[in-house]
Amino acid sequence: MIPQSLISYIETEIIPRYKSFDKAHNLSHVQAVIEESLILAGQHANTDKRLVYTIAAYHDTGLCRDRATHHLVSGEILMADTTLRQWFSPKELLLMKEAVEDHRASADHEPRSIYGKIVAEADRIIDPDITLRRTVQYGLKQNPTANEEWHYQRFHKHLMEKYAPGGYLKLWFPDGKNAERLKELQAIIADKELLKLKFSLMFKEEKQ
């Protein structure tokens, strides 16, 4: 059971921080990660939903500093938040910090706990169209003046490195819905004409 006081604190003090982040990490993103994390927690006995909810809420707060180390900064923000001590023990806070640090798709190690795996899996939220659009949005944010061909090359390179078979994305629940959705995304990536068409439409929409 998640205490209402904890929910109220996170909804008023933590979740609003996502308003200032990019389109791929905005309010709808954190809300989706929280929702999916709680669903996954419900499928794994003996997980504490208080911890799951809080980890999901804090997982991208480090974007206030930078993207490259945001997972580590998010862990620092969680540990430095003294208000959380009224709901969690020092051991629980450390467990949550580690889970936040471990959520990043490009991490070079497996999450250290079931909590890290849950928030990492929830953060993937693989929906082919959403994933493709987020990839377009990120490229435009990084280099808004580059031409369409440059953006397509960056878009394609990222998808191949992360989502194609052998890519660095790891799923921690092979029977989960992300595994099925990843197959759908890989089919699109493999179809060069379809991928280029989807990119072109999304690029034009995002440039408007």
Side-chain angles (χ1 to χ4, degrees):
M1 190 72 174
I2 306 171
Q4 186 57 48
S5 56
L6 173 60
I7 293 172
S8 297
Y9 174 69
I10 285 179
E11 286 186 347
T12 56
E13 301 297 331
I14 307 305
I15 290 175
R17 299 182 189 189
Y18 287 77
K19 289 179 182 177
S20 63
F21 299 156
D22 62 271
K23 290 181 181 178
H25 301 92
N26 57 14
L27 285 172
S28 63
H29 171 70
V30 67
Q31 288 160 350
V33 172
I34 289 171
E35 181 180 346
E36 184 63 22
S37 293
L38 290 172
I39 290 171
L40 288 169
Q43 297 167 0
H44 293 82
N46 302 320
T47 52
D48 188 326
K49 287 185 172 59
R50 296 176 309 132
L51 275 66
V52 172
Y53 173 71
T54 305
I55 294 162
Y58 280 77
H59 83 282
D60 276 341
T61 51
L63 288 168
C64 64
R65 189 179 303 174
D66 65 38
R67 185 180 175 90
T69 62
H70 81 276
H71 53 303
L72 302 177
V73 177
S74 297
E76 293 172 7
I77 290 170
L78 186 150
M79 285 297 284
D81 190 341
T82 56
T83 305
L84 291 177
R85 296 176 190 172
Q86 65 185 280
W87 299 290
F88 302 103
S89 69
K91 185 177 179 180
E92 289 172 332
L93 289 168
L94 180 59
L95 184 62
M96 292 193 296
K97 173 180 179 285
E98 290 177 348
V100 167
E101 292 174 343
D102 292 345
H103 86 271
R104 198 167 185 200
S106 56
D108 58 3
H109 62 275
E110 182 175 330
R112 287 164 279 185
S113 70
I114 185 64
Y115 294 101
K117 290 180 178 180
I118 284 172
V119 74
E121 186 81 8
D123 188 45
R124 305 297 181 262
I125 314 179
I126 298 174
D127 174 291
D129 283 344
I130 292 174
T131 299
L132 295 175
R133 187 173 295 277
R134 284 179 60 173
T135 306
V136 172
Q137 290 170 343
Y138 181 72
L140 282 167
K141 185 174 186 295
Q142 296 302 111
N143 194 347
T145 60
N147 64 27
E148 184 171 341
E149 182 57 29
W150 183 93
H151 277 284
Y152 179 73
Q153 293 302 323
R154 190 213 67 84
F155 169 86
H156 184 264
K157 181 174 183 287
H158 174 73
L159 293 172
M160 292 299 293
E161 290 176 348
K162 184 173 182 179
Y163 297 103
Y168 67 76
L169 180 79
K170 300 290 187 293
L171 298 179
W172 304 113
F173 302 106
D175 297 326
K177 59 185 178 183
N178 273 341
E180 193 62 36
R181 288 175 176 173
L182 180 58
K183 291 177 185 175
E184 295 173 16
L185 178 59
Q186 288 173 342
I188 295 171
I189 294 171
D191 186 333
K192 293 182 180 179
E193 289 186 9
L194 177 60
L195 184 66
K196 189 68 181 285
L197 175 61
K198 283 182 172 289
F199 166 81
S200 183
L201 291 171
M202 291 178 180
F203 183 79
K204 289 179 172 60
E205 290 169 357
E206 293 298 326
K207 285 284 283 185
Q208 289 178 358

Tab-separated table of all heavy atoms in Angstrom, residues 39-72:
chain	number	residue	atom	x	y	z
A	39	ILE	N	2.274	-2.006	-12.686
A	39	ILE	CA	1.731	-3.220	-13.304
A	39	ILE	C	2.736	-4.358	-13.197
A	39	ILE	O	2.393	-5.483	-12.810
A	39	ILE	CB	1.370	-2.957	-14.781
A	39	ILE	CG1	0.150	-2.026	-14.877
A	39	ILE	CG2	1.089	-4.277	-15.512
A	39	ILE	CD1	-0.151	-1.541	-16.280
A	40	LEU	N	3.992	-4.082	-13.516
A	40	LEU	CA	5.043	-5.100	-13.422
A	40	LEU	C	5.230	-5.569	-11.984
A	40	LEU	O	5.430	-6.760	-11.725
A	40	LEU	CB	6.364	-4.550	-13.972
A	40	LEU	CG	6.431	-4.388	-15.495
A	40	LEU	CD1	7.670	-3.593	-15.889
A	40	LEU	CD2	6.442	-5.750	-16.175
A	41	ALA	N	5.166	-4.629	-11.049
A	41	ALA	CA	5.305	-4.996	-9.634
A	41	ALA	C	4.191	-5.945	-9.217
A	41	ALA	O	4.418	-6.872	-8.422
A	41	ALA	CB	5.295	-3.742	-8.772
A	42	GLY	N	3.005	-5.731	-9.747
A	42	GLY	CA	1.882	-6.604	-9.425
A	42	GLY	C	2.065	-8.017	-9.935
A	42	GLY	O	1.424	-8.952	-9.440
A	43	GLN	N	2.978	-8.196	-10.888
A	43	GLN	CA	3.256	-9.517	-11.446
A	43	GLN	C	4.411	-10.216	-10.736
A	43	GLN	O	4.746	-11.354	-11.074
A	43	GLN	CB	3.574	-9.377	-12.946
A	43	GLN	CG	2.406	-8.838	-13.761
A	43	GLN	CD	2.811	-8.418	-15.164
A	43	GLN	OE1	3.977	-8.533	-15.548
A	43	GLN	NE2	1.846	-7.944	-15.943
A	44	HIS	N	5.014	-9.534	-9.785
A	44	HIS	CA	6.154	-10.104	-9.057
A	44	HIS	C	5.894	-10.002	-7.553
A	44	HIS	O	5.901	-8.904	-6.984
A	44	HIS	CB	7.451	-9.380	-9.439
A	44	HIS	CG	7.845	-9.626	-10.878
A	44	HIS	ND1	7.290	-8.922	-11.925
A	44	HIS	CD2	8.700	-10.526	-11.413
A	44	HIS	CE1	7.803	-9.376	-13.055
A	44	HIS	NE2	8.657	-10.345	-12.778
A	45	ALA	N	5.651	-11.135	-6.963
A	45	ALA	CA	5.329	-11.183	-5.535
A	45	ALA	C	6.473	-10.616	-4.704
A	45	ALA	O	7.636	-10.651	-5.103
A	45	ALA	CB	5.046	-12.627	-5.125
A	46	ASN	N	6.121	-10.084	-3.561
A	46	ASN	CA	7.079	-9.585	-2.573
A	46	ASN	C	7.783	-8.291	-2.979
A	46	ASN	O	8.767	-7.904	-2.345
A	46	ASN	CB	8.139	-10.652	-2.238
A	46	ASN	CG	7.505	-11.929	-1.702
A	46	ASN	OD1	6.562	-11.874	-0.920
A	46	ASN	ND2	8.022	-13.069	-2.146
A	47	THR	N	7.299	-7.627	-4.032
A	47	THR	CA	7.842	-6.299	-4.326
A	47	THR	C	7.017	-5.264	-3.578
A	47	THR	O	5.807	-5.402	-3.424
A	47	THR	CB	7.816	-5.996	-5.834
A	47	THR	OG1	6.501	-6.224	-6.340
A	47	THR	CG2	8.816	-6.868	-6.583
A	48	ASP	N	7.687	-4.229	-3.117
A	48	ASP	CA	7.052	-3.182	-2.320
A	48	ASP	C	6.644	-2.042	-3.254
A	48	ASP	O	7.501	-1.372	-3.845
A	48	ASP	CB	8.046	-2.688	-1.261
A	48	ASP	CG	7.430	-1.734	-0.269
A	48	ASP	OD1	6.531	-0.958	-0.660
A	48	ASP	OD2	7.864	-1.732	0.904
A	49	LYS	N	5.356	-1.821	-3.390
A	49	LYS	CA	4.871	-0.806	-4.335
A	49	LYS	C	5.269	0.609	-3.924
A	49	LYS	O	5.341	1.506	-4.777
A	49	LYS	CB	3.354	-0.919	-4.500
A	49	LYS	CG	2.927	-2.142	-5.315
A	49	LYS	CD	1.438	-2.160	-5.554
A	49	LYS	CE	1.028	-3.262	-6.537
A	49	LYS	NZ	1.402	-4.599	-6.077
A	50	ARG	N	5.532	0.833	-2.651
A	50	ARG	CA	6.030	2.161	-2.235
A	50	ARG	C	7.348	2.463	-2.934
A	50	ARG	O	7.573	3.564	-3.447
A	50	ARG	CB	6.267	2.206	-0.722
A	50	ARG	CG	5.048	2.039	0.163
A	50	ARG	CD	5.484	2.010	1.627
A	50	ARG	NE	6.556	1.041	1.829
A	50	ARG	CZ	7.699	1.275	2.487
A	50	ARG	NH1	7.917	2.456	3.042
A	50	ARG	NH2	8.612	0.343	2.624
A	51	LEU	N	8.232	1.462	-2.929
A	51	LEU	CA	9.540	1.628	-3.552
A	51	LEU	C	9.403	1.772	-5.065
A	51	LEU	O	10.027	2.647	-5.680
A	51	LEU	CB	10.450	0.438	-3.223
A	51	LEU	CG	11.226	0.495	-1.898
A	51	LEU	CD1	10.277	0.442	-0.705
A	51	LEU	CD2	12.237	-0.645	-1.825
A	52	VAL	N	8.587	0.919	-5.667
A	52	VAL	CA	8.406	0.934	-7.120
A	52	VAL	C	7.891	2.300	-7.576
A	52	VAL	O	8.409	2.892	-8.537
A	52	VAL	CB	7.435	-0.185	-7.552
A	52	VAL	CG1	7.076	-0.052	-9.031
A	52	VAL	CG2	8.046	-1.554	-7.274
A	53	TYR	N	6.884	2.807	-6.904
A	53	TYR	CA	6.288	4.098	-7.256
A	53	TYR	C	7.319	5.226	-7.164
A	53	TYR	O	7.436	6.065	-8.063
A	53	TYR	CB	5.118	4.365	-6.307
A	53	TYR	CG	4.496	5.734	-6.432
A	53	TYR	CD1	3.729	6.077	-7.543
A	53	TYR	CD2	4.666	6.684	-5.431
A	53	TYR	CE1	3.147	7.332	-7.648
A	53	TYR	CE2	4.093	7.943	-5.528
A	53	TYR	CZ	3.340	8.265	-6.636
A	53	TYR	OH	2.775	9.510	-6.744
A	54	THR	N	8.091	5.220	-6.109
A	54	THR	CA	9.057	6.296	-5.873
A	54	THR	C	10.215	6.230	-6.863
A	54	THR	O	10.633	7.257	-7.415
A	54	THR	CB	9.572	6.226	-4.424
A	54	THR	OG1	8.453	6.263	-3.530
A	54	THR	CG2	10.510	7.386	-4.121
A	55	ILE	N	10.719	5.041	-7.123
A	55	ILE	CA	11.799	4.877	-8.108
A	55	ILE	C	11.353	5.401	-9.469
A	55	ILE	O	12.075	6.152	-10.131
A	55	ILE	CB	12.211	3.395	-8.214
A	55	ILE	CG1	12.854	2.922	-6.912
A	55	ILE	CG2	13.174	3.180	-9.383
A	55	ILE	CD1	12.889	1.400	-6.769
A	56	ALA	N	10.153	5.000	-9.880
A	56	ALA	CA	9.643	5.431	-11.188
A	56	ALA	C	9.499	6.952	-11.253
A	56	ALA	O	9.809	7.570	-12.270
A	56	ALA	CB	8.305	4.754	-11.471
A	57	ALA	N	9.053	7.559	-10.170
A	57	ALA	CA	8.857	9.005	-10.144
A	57	ALA	C	10.176	9.773	-10.244
A	57	ALA	O	10.254	10.820	-10.883
A	57	ALA	CB	8.119	9.407	-8.877
A	58	TYR	N	11.235	9.246	-9.645
A	58	TYR	CA	12.521	9.946	-9.603
A	58	TYR	C	13.446	9.573	-10.757
A	58	TYR	O	14.494	10.205	-10.926
A	58	TYR	CB	13.250	9.632	-8.292
A	58	TYR	CG	12.777	10.415	-7.098
A	58	TYR	CD1	11.595	10.082	-6.447
A	58	TYR	CD2	13.504	11.493	-6.593
A	58	TYR	CE1	11.141	10.785	-5.335
A	58	TYR	CE2	13.070	12.202	-5.483
A	58	TYR	CZ	11.880	11.848	-4.863
A	58	TYR	OH	11.448	12.554	-3.767
A	59	HIS	N	13.097	8.576	-11.571
A	59	HIS	CA	14.101	7.958	-12.441
A	59	HIS	C	14.770	8.913	-13.433
A	59	HIS	O	15.938	8.734	-13.772
A	59	HIS	CB	13.506	6.739	-13.169
A	59	HIS	CG	12.722	7.063	-14.396
A	59	HIS	ND1	11.426	7.540	-14.354
A	59	HIS	CD2	13.043	6.988	-15.710
A	59	HIS	CE1	10.989	7.732	-15.586
A	59	HIS	NE2	11.949	7.405	-16.429
A	60	ASP	N	14.068	9.944	-13.896
A	60	ASP	CA	14.664	10.876	-14.860
A	60	ASP	C	14.855	12.290	-14.300
A	60	ASP	O	15.125	13.217	-15.068
A	60	ASP	CB	13.785	10.969	-16.122
A	60	ASP	CG	14.076	9.854	-17.123
A	60	ASP	OD1	15.152	9.233	-17.034
A	60	ASP	OD2	13.218	9.600	-17.986
A	61	THR	N	14.723	12.472	-13.006
A	61	THR	CA	14.836	13.824	-12.442
A	61	THR	C	16.212	14.432	-12.692
A	61	THR	O	16.354	15.650	-12.729
A	61	THR	CB	14.550	13.829	-10.925
A	61	THR	OG1	15.359	12.821	-10.288
A	61	THR	CG2	13.077	13.542	-10.643
A	62	GLY	N	17.224	13.600	-12.901
A	62	GLY	CA	18.577	14.096	-13.148
A	62	GLY	C	18.742	14.813	-14.479
A	62	GLY	O	19.795	15.410	-14.736
A	63	LEU	N	17.712	14.776	-15.335
A	63	LEU	CA	17.771	15.518	-16.596
A	63	LEU	C	17.852	17.022	-16.362
A	63	LEU	O	18.144	17.778	-17.286
A	63	LEU	CB	16.557	15.185	-17.463
A	63	LEU	CG	16.562	13.786	-18.097
A	63	LEU	CD1	15.198	13.450	-18.673
A	63	LEU	CD2	17.634	13.674	-19.173
A	64	CYS	N	17.609	17.441	-15.139
A	64	CYS	CA	17.757	18.861	-14.813
A	64	CYS	C	19.214	19.301	-14.964
A	64	CYS	O	19.496	20.494	-15.121
A	64	CYS	CB	17.279	19.155	-13.394
A	64	CYS	SG	18.244	18.329	-12.103
A	65	ARG	N	20.140	18.346	-14.938
A	65	ARG	CA	21.567	18.673	-15.089
A	65	ARG	C	22.068	18.328	-16.485
A	65	ARG	O	22.575	19.178	-17.192
A	65	ARG	CB	22.413	17.952	-14.034
A	65	ARG	CG	23.860	18.417	-14.011
A	65	ARG	CD	24.673	17.715	-12.940
A	65	ARG	NE	24.101	17.891	-11.604
A	65	ARG	CZ	24.573	17.267	-10.524
A	65	ARG	NH1	25.593	16.420	-10.619
A	65	ARG	NH2	24.019	17.475	-9.349
A	66	ASP	N	21.972	17.069	-16.884
A	66	ASP	CA	22.360	16.677	-18.238
A	66	ASP	C	21.816	15.296	-18.556
A	66	ASP	O	21.304	14.604	-17.683
A	66	ASP	CB	23.885	16.718	-18.435
A	66	ASP	CG	24.634	15.704	-17.584
A	66	ASP	OD1	24.135	14.574	-17.401
A	66	ASP	OD2	25.729	16.025	-17.099
A	67	ARG	N	21.925	14.911	-19.826
A	67	ARG	CA	21.400	13.614	-20.251
A	67	ARG	C	22.407	12.489	-20.014
A	67	ARG	O	22.041	11.382	-19.643
A	67	ARG	CB	21.008	13.668	-21.724
A	67	ARG	CG	20.324	12.393	-22.224
A	67	ARG	CD	19.967	12.525	-23.698
A	67	ARG	NE	19.412	11.287	-24.228
A	67	ARG	CZ	18.137	10.978	-24.231
A	67	ARG	NH1	17.254	11.806	-23.704
A	67	ARG	NH2	17.717	9.830	-24.744
A	68	ALA	N	23.684	12.803	-20.235
A	68	ALA	CA	24.715	11.763	-20.199
A	68	ALA	C	24.808	11.059	-18.852
A	68	ALA	O	25.012	9.849	-18.782
A	68	ALA	CB	26.066	12.359	-20.573
A	69	THR	N	24.654	11.808	-17.773
A	69	THR	CA	24.782	11.225	-16.431
A	69	THR	C	23.481	11.324	-15.640
A	69	THR	O	23.494	11.218	-14.414
A	69	THR	CB	25.903	11.921	-15.639
A	69	THR	OG1	25.577	13.318	-15.477
A	69	THR	CG2	27.240	11.804	-16.354
A	70	HIS	N	22.364	11.506	-16.340
A	70	HIS	CA	21.118	11.793	-15.633
A	70	HIS	C	20.710	10.675	-14.679
A	70	HIS	O	20.108	10.929	-13.637
A	70	HIS	CB	19.984	12.092	-16.617
A	70	HIS	CG	19.339	10.884	-17.209
A	70	HIS	ND1	19.836	10.210	-18.308
A	70	HIS	CD2	18.218	10.200	-16.847
A	70	HIS	CE1	19.061	9.186	-18.594
A	70	HIS	NE2	18.063	9.142	-17.732
A	71	HIS	N	21.036	9.431	-15.021
A	71	HIS	CA	20.659	8.309	-14.154
A	71	HIS	C	21.383	8.381	-12.811
A	71	HIS	O	20.820	8.060	-11.760
A	71	HIS	CB	20.938	6.982	-14.861
A	71	HIS	CG	22.327	6.834	-15.369
A	71	HIS	ND1	22.901	7.728	-16.252
A	71	HIS	CD2	23.279	5.894	-15.109
A	71	HIS	CE1	24.139	7.337	-16.526
A	71	HIS	NE2	24.394	6.254	-15.839
A	72	LEU	N	22.641	8.814	-12.853
A	72	LEU	CA	23.413	8.962	-11.614
A	72	LEU	C	22.936	10.171	-10.813
A	72	LEU	O	22.798	10.112	-9.585
A	72	LEU	CB	24.903	9.105	-11.940
A	72	LEU	CG	25.524	7.952	-12.734
A	72	LEU	CD1	26.978	8.249	-13.060
A	72	LEU	CD2	25.412	6.638	-11.954
